[in-house]
Amino acid sequence: MKNYNNTTYAILGILTTDCKSGYSIKQLIDQSLNHFWKISYGQIYPTLKIIVEDGLATVETSSHESKPNRNEYYLTSKGQETLKNWLEKPIEQIPIERNEILLKLFFGSSQSNEATVLQLTYYKQKLEARYQTYLSIEQAISINKDNDKDARYWLFTLDYGKRITKAAIEWCESTLEQL
């Protein structure tokens, strides 16, 4: 069986939702996945092309009155099997986070203490805003969780983000106290 990159598997997974067009796939990425998995708009259509060429999905052109035709993508049984096999494989590595504030802090002795405090304060504010965003997303998902088979799993990933963000806020507070 051919190995694909994680972007391909992410798009296969998205095709299990109601998102069927390139545009709706991008919307889901921007609203949900973007918090933990980045996929650029320029990756979507080339990946969809590969998925179709490899028989993992089919494409149907739909026409709507007063709107341009749009391509809609549907997983094939081969695509579902490929996604399932990938989902059941153990993860290959623990992700390494690229974090600019940690990089700057690592070399913090080369800047003033005031500058470090300002950067950490700003970072903490951004984290607090992110945490509020997560709470809003959680509320929106919870409203429809009984009607959506994916909601439970979306809440699991959201809980991870909330916990990581809360821990980072606490780390900022502790570090700022020490500075």
Side-chain angles (χ1 to χ4, degrees):
M1 179 171 285
K2 183 175 178 180
N3 281 330
Y4 296 96
N5 63 32
N6 286 333
T7 296
T8 304
Y9 294 118
I11 292 177
L12 288 173
I14 292 169
L15 291 177
T16 68
T17 70
D18 290 334
C19 299
K20 301 298 179 198
S21 69
Y23 178 76
S24 64
I25 289 169
K26 179 61 175 153
Q27 283 186 310
L28 179 68
I29 290 167
D30 289 346
Q31 294 168 1
S32 297
L33 295 184
N34 213 27
H35 295 283
F36 58 90
W37 195 263
K38 306 281 186 221
I39 300 174
S40 72
Y41 200 67
Q43 292 175 287
I44 294 172
Y45 287 101
T47 301
L48 286 168
K49 182 179 179 193
I50 290 168
I51 289 171
V52 170
E53 286 173 354
D54 289 353
L56 305 176
T58 59
V59 61
E60 297 176 12
T61 302
S62 64
S63 58
H64 301 280
E65 194 172 311
S66 74
K67 291 183 180 180
N69 290 349
R70 78 174 189 189
N71 289 333
E72 294 182 346
Y73 299 85
Y74 298 90
L75 279 183
T76 62
S77 57
K78 181 180 177 185
Q80 291 169 342
E81 188 66 25
T82 299
L83 177 62
K84 182 177 181 282
N85 288 338
W86 174 74
L87 288 169
E88 292 176 354
K89 279 176 47 179
I91 60 169
E92 294 178 7
Q93 62 186 7
I94 294 176
I96 298 171
E97 180 181 5
R98 294 174 57 120
N99 185 316
E100 184 180 0
I101 193 71
L102 292 179
L103 184 61
K104 288 182 176 188
L105 189 59
F106 189 82
F107 299 110
S109 66
S110 296
Q111 72 175 349
S112 71
N113 194 55
E114 293 78 19
T116 301
V117 167
L118 281 173
Q119 287 181 345
L120 281 167
T121 301
Y122 179 71
Y123 182 62
K124 180 178 175 258
Q125 290 169 350
K126 302 269 291 171
L127 288 168
E128 289 168 339
R130 176 184 286 177
Y131 191 81
Q132 291 305 312
T133 298
Y134 288 165
L135 291 176
S136 297
I137 293 169
E138 181 179 43
Q139 185 177 21
I141 293 171
S142 294
I143 290 170
N144 295 315
K145 73 178 180 186
D146 294 333
N147 300 328
D148 195 326
K149 67 179 177 51
D150 295 316
R152 176 180 181 198
Y153 299 98
W154 294 344
L155 289 170
F156 291 154
T157 57
L158 184 60
D159 184 51
Y160 179 87
K162 283 175 46 189
R163 289 173 189 248
I164 293 296
T165 304
K166 190 153 186 79
I169 292 168
E170 291 170 2
W171 170 83
C172 283
E173 291 167 348
S174 173
T175 305
L176 284 166
E177 284 176 17
Q178 294 176 60
L179 288 171

